[in-house]
Amino acid sequence: MSSTELPLARFLAHCHADFSKDDSGEVASYIPELALADPQHFGIAATTVDGFVYEVGDSTVEFTIQSISKAFVFALALEAVGADRVEAIVGVEPSGDAFNSIRLRSDNRPFNPMVNAGAIACVGLICESDADGAFERVRTTLGRFAGRRLEVDEPTFRSERESGDRNRAIAYLLRNHGVLLGDVDKVLDVYFRQCALRVSARDLSVMAATLANKGRNPLTGEQVASSYAVARTLSVMTSSGMYDSAGGWVYRVGIPAKSGVGGGIVAALPSQLGLGTYSPRIDDQGNSIRGLRTCEALSTHFGLHMLNRVGDAQTCIAAGYNVGSVSSRRSRPAREQAILEAHHLECAILELTGALSFANVEYVSRRISSLRRDLNYLILDFRRVPSVSDAALRLLADIFDDLASGRVEMVFSGIPKGTPAEQALRSWLADRPSVHVIGLLDEAIEWAEDRIIQSQDGDLYRGQSVDIAEQELLAGLDAAELAVLASSMVRREYRIGERLISAGDPASSVMFVESGVVSVRLHSGVRLATLSAGMAVGEMALLETNRSADVWADTHVACLELSLDAFNGFRNRYPHAGEKIMASLARLLAKRLIVANHKIEVLASY
């Protein structure tokens, strides 16, 4: 399955198709060069905090960043001159006025860094710090947020400079009140160039994801800004980033965002994803109409309002493997084991952990998509999951629909009792009876193994007895030796649920299963192994003095019991045969150790 078929990609594609029909609004023209933008352009991009990028429409079309740059320059100012200096000259309260208002607070400071007055003041601070290198520092920093070098659109820069009398008035007002120091024209030159940097919707999504990822660019891995600067930037974006419609934005969408009159919107949802949109048709407040609708649809559909979130987990998959890497505790005869080895890719297991959010399950959806070619059974284990958000459940629904359409059976195991996760999943599963729910992960893996074996062989746990010559522990003995050994054995039969061996009892015999299935369990009920015909039970009596676990009959069981006294007598009479039996025991124990070590390696790799 390609990235375009993932649930979030489909949702963004639907948004693009629906909102492309909206031709309301006008292209900005107060800066002449902006009026040349193609009003039909519409691009959407979303970047997750682990670096996966979704793109729809004109996501790579470049346009000028305009006021979106203010958010990132504010973060830069906090880093360059320190929070005390920035907060001494720029406020953080919404203004209630247009972004280019020539009005200051009662103490003659700009209202916030998202309006022109505050943004120019921030540029002034960077000019104080870096002098002639101020713009290059701005460009470099914004490029680090985007993960690539950004270039200035020279015609737009010239157009802004030639038509920028209002910004000059703001700058001189700031200088008059001692907010802006130095040469006004040099400061404005940096400001105009900053606004004329070319970006795309994809760039904006990466820049937003860097904010969402506590200042670390998820594509390059570079720490671009401190968590302090990022938190303060997101705070001001929340209250003042969408011009004088910021209140309505927070109320309806609830994602920190910043817009620009060039048609871009950047939105950052902490710890989850960054969104970038581009469509040059803007409303009376200077916000892209199609961009607004996209952000609101995403937030509403998936419940992404920042005040409606659950806890996040950076790592939501504790382990991922297939039945070839980690099998169930059922020991299987060679015939069945060969089938599982040949078809192990048909069953994948993902052990989930932490509170599952939209971002977590989106990542899970991509992991599943990479397994789809050979997958027939998918097991999701929830025993480490305390809660599941509504957004995560919506994506799970899409994952389930995708799997069902591909005839992949889905199994949920280990849903923790009495937790928010159980409550959410119980309601969700009530509408999906075809999703299998199995209490223990080991039992779920065994169920899938059985289905694979049955699909290939059509028969499972054949009822006929296994001849003594087929017993694993007796491999290598000749017919005469087997006959002598068999004459010393006593045949036993057990009903379903009857105990063959009790933990703590003296280890006085070995049992060879002729037919049926038995389980080896601790006193707590935890299953250690399940054995079937052709396998020995209680074989550790050859090495230990007391039984360490209970053995129960899962089906009607017939077995041959060999007492230790009889075995020792046989061993004295046929020492070479006795050595063969002990060598077989050593091989079986070594095989179990290899399997156990492999399981540990698989689980430890996560």
Side-chain angles (χ1 to χ4, degrees):
M1 186 166 64
S2 69
S3 62
T4 58
E5 296 174 301
L6 292 169
L8 180 56
R10 286 200 300 270
F11 178 81
L12 295 178
H14 289 318
C15 289
H16 187 272
D18 290 344
F19 304 150
S20 291
K21 303 168 187 176
D22 188 342
D23 289 332
S24 59
E26 301 291 338
V27 175
S29 59
Y30 75 94
I31 299 173
E33 196 67 24
L34 296 183
L36 302 179
D38 185 342
Q40 297 309 313
H41 278 156
F42 182 22
I44 305 172
T47 299
T48 64
V49 292
D50 69 323
F52 189 84
V53 182
Y54 294 89
E55 298 182 72
V56 182
D58 303 313
S59 61
T60 60
V61 170
E62 293 190 348
F63 56 96
T64 53
I65 193 170
Q66 297 300 322
S67 286
I68 295 172
S69 63
K70 296 171 181 175
F72 301 95
V73 171
F74 175 57
L76 171 58
L78 290 170
E79 302 278 42
V81 302
D84 291 344
R85 179 78 174 105
V86 174
E87 293 164 6
I89 69 166
V90 180
V92 292
E93 300 295 337
S95 68
D97 294 328
F99 66 94
N100 58 357
S101 171
I102 308 179
R103 188 171 77 90
L104 303 178
R105 291 167 28 136
S106 59
D107 60 1
N108 296 319
R109 292 191 302 159
F111 282 91
N112 61 72
M114 302 298 132
V115 295
N116 287 13
I120 292 171
C122 286
V123 171
L125 291 174
I126 297 170
C127 288
E128 288 181 37
S129 171
D130 290 68
D132 292 341
F135 173 68
E136 195 54 41
R137 184 166 186 181
V138 169
R139 184 205 339 230
T140 300
T141 299
L142 268 64
R144 291 167 65 205
F145 271 102
R148 72 177 183 94
R149 178 179 172 82
L150 302 181
E151 302 295 343
V152 174
D153 187 281
E154 292 295 339
T156 301
F157 162 65
R158 291 192 295 271
S159 184
E160 293 210 38
R161 184 169 57 182
E162 292 166 4
S163 61
D165 289 342
R166 191 176 186 88
N167 284 322
R168 288 189 179 87
I170 293 171
Y172 278 108
L173 179 64
L174 293 174
R175 183 177 180 183
N176 179 68
H177 291 295
V179 173
L180 184 65
L181 306 177
D183 190 312
V184 167
D185 287 335
K186 287 185 178 180
V187 172
L188 287 176
D189 186 76
V190 174
Y191 177 71
F192 291 143
R193 286 185 181 277
Q194 156 194 318
C195 293
L197 287 170
R198 292 200 304 268
V199 293
S200 64
R202 177 190 169 93
D203 292 330
L204 292 184
S205 76
V206 176
M207 296 171 82
T210 302
L211 291 175
N213 199 32
K214 296 183 179 180
R216 185 179 296 277
N217 187 308
L219 299 189
T220 67
E222 181 183 9
Q223 189 70 40
V224 180
S226 67
S227 58
Y228 178 92
V230 168
R232 270 63 190 172
T233 300
L234 290 173
S235 297
V236 179
M237 288 169 64
T238 301
S239 64
S240 309
M242 300 301 288
Y243 298 132
D244 48 337
S245 61
W249 171 271
V250 173
Y251 183 81
R252 295 191 310 274
V253 181
I255 302 175
K258 184 72 188 82
S259 62
V261 293
I265 294 178
V266 62
L269 188 61
S271 300
Q272 300 197 53
L273 85 165
L275 181 69
T277 67
Y278 170 58
S279 178
R281 294 181 180 273
I282 60 175
D283 59 18
D284 293 340
Q285 284 76 42
N287 298 315
S288 169
I289 292 175
R290 293 171 179 171
L292 288 174
R293 295 189 65 183
T294 299
C295 293
E296 184 170 357
L298 183 70
S299 177
T300 301
H301 183 76
F302 290 113
L304 298 182
H305 195 292
M306 62 183 180
L307 301 180
N308 189 33
R309 295 175 55 208
V310 298
D312 297 309
Q314 289 294 320
T315 304
C316 61
I317 298 180
Y321 46 88
N322 56 54
V323 293
S325 300
V326 178
S327 61
S328 72
R329 291 191 175 96
R330 181 178 290 278
S331 297
R332 296 184 180 276
R335 170 182 59 83
E336 295 178 1
Q337 190 60 43
I339 292 172
L340 291 177
E341 290 174 359
H343 298 274
H344 64 276
L345 294 179
E346 291 185 18
C347 176
I349 302 97
L350 295 179
E351 296 185 23
L352 307 181
T353 184
L356 294 186
S357 66
F358 168 83
N360 297 147
V361 178
E362 182 279 328
Y363 175 65
V364 171
S365 76
R366 284 186 274 122
R367 285 294 303 274
I368 293 172
S369 73
S370 68
L371 305 170
R372 286 293 297 277
R373 180 189 298 179
D374 301 297
L375 197 63
N376 286 327
Y377 307 96
L378 173 68
I379 299 172
L380 297 181
D381 184 67
F382 287 84
R383 69 185 186 277
R384 302 184 188 93
V385 175
S387 62
V388 185
S389 72
D390 289 341
L393 287 175
R394 285 182 178 272
L395 273 183
L396 275 175
D398 284 337
I399 292 170
F400 168 76
D401 291 340
D402 288 340
L403 294 176
S405 66
R407 300 183 183 278
V408 177
E409 294 188 65
M410 195 169 179
V411 183
F412 282 16
S413 69
I415 299 175
K417 301 294 184 182
T419 64
E422 183 196 21
Q423 297 171 9
L425 291 170
R426 187 193 308 122
S427 174
W428 187 85
L429 289 166
D431 297 326
R432 294 166 179 83
S434 57
V435 176
H436 306 281
V437 180
I438 299 176
L440 298 177
L441 174 59
D442 184 60
E443 293 175 353
I445 296 174
E446 181 183 331
W447 174 88
E449 290 173 344
D450 288 350
R451 297 295 292 267
I452 292 171
I453 293 167
Q454 288 174 317
S455 69
Q456 298 299 319
D457 192 57
D459 194 5
L460 192 65
Y461 310 134
R462 290 171 175 154
Q464 66 267 31
S465 295
V466 170
D467 187 82
I468 190 173
E470 296 179 61
Q471 292 289 337
E472 291 177 311
L473 193 59
L474 305 181
L477 272 63
D478 61 32
E481 293 167 338
L482 288 171
V484 171
L485 195 61
S487 66
S488 302
M489 295 179 178
V490 178
R491 194 167 194 276
R492 309 283 189 191
E493 293 194 20
Y494 299 89
R495 298 186 300 274
I496 295 175
E498 192 172 1
R499 182 158 49 187
L500 287 71
I501 292 174
S502 298
D505 284 353
S508 58
S509 66
V510 180
M511 295 184 176
F512 297 88
V513 180
E514 287 185 299
S515 64
V517 179
V518 300
S519 288
V520 182
R521 298 181 181 272
L522 297 176
H523 186 68
S524 63
V526 173
R527 181 174 70 163
L528 299 178
T530 295
L531 309 170
S532 54
M535 300 175 186
V537 180
E539 72 279 13
M540 294 305 293
L542 301 177
L543 301 175
E544 297 178 343
T545 57
N546 292 304
R547 304 293 193 187
S548 57
D550 295 322
V551 179
W552 299 87
D554 292 342
T555 65
H556 180 271
V557 174
C559 61
L560 295 172
E561 184 175 16
L562 176 67
S563 70
L564 285 186
D565 289 340
F567 172 73
N568 289 329
F570 171 81
R571 190 175 183 181
N572 291 332
R573 185 177 176 186
Y574 300 94
H576 184 60
E579 290 175 5
K580 289 181 181 179
I581 293 174
M582 297 307 293
S584 293
L585 177 61
R587 282 194 298 272
L588 289 174
L589 294 178
K591 181 179 178 181
R592 293 174 193 171
L593 183 60
I594 291 170
V595 171
N597 285 339
H598 185 54
K599 289 181 181 180
I600 292 171
E601 290 174 0
V602 170
L603 298 177
S605 66
Y606 279 80

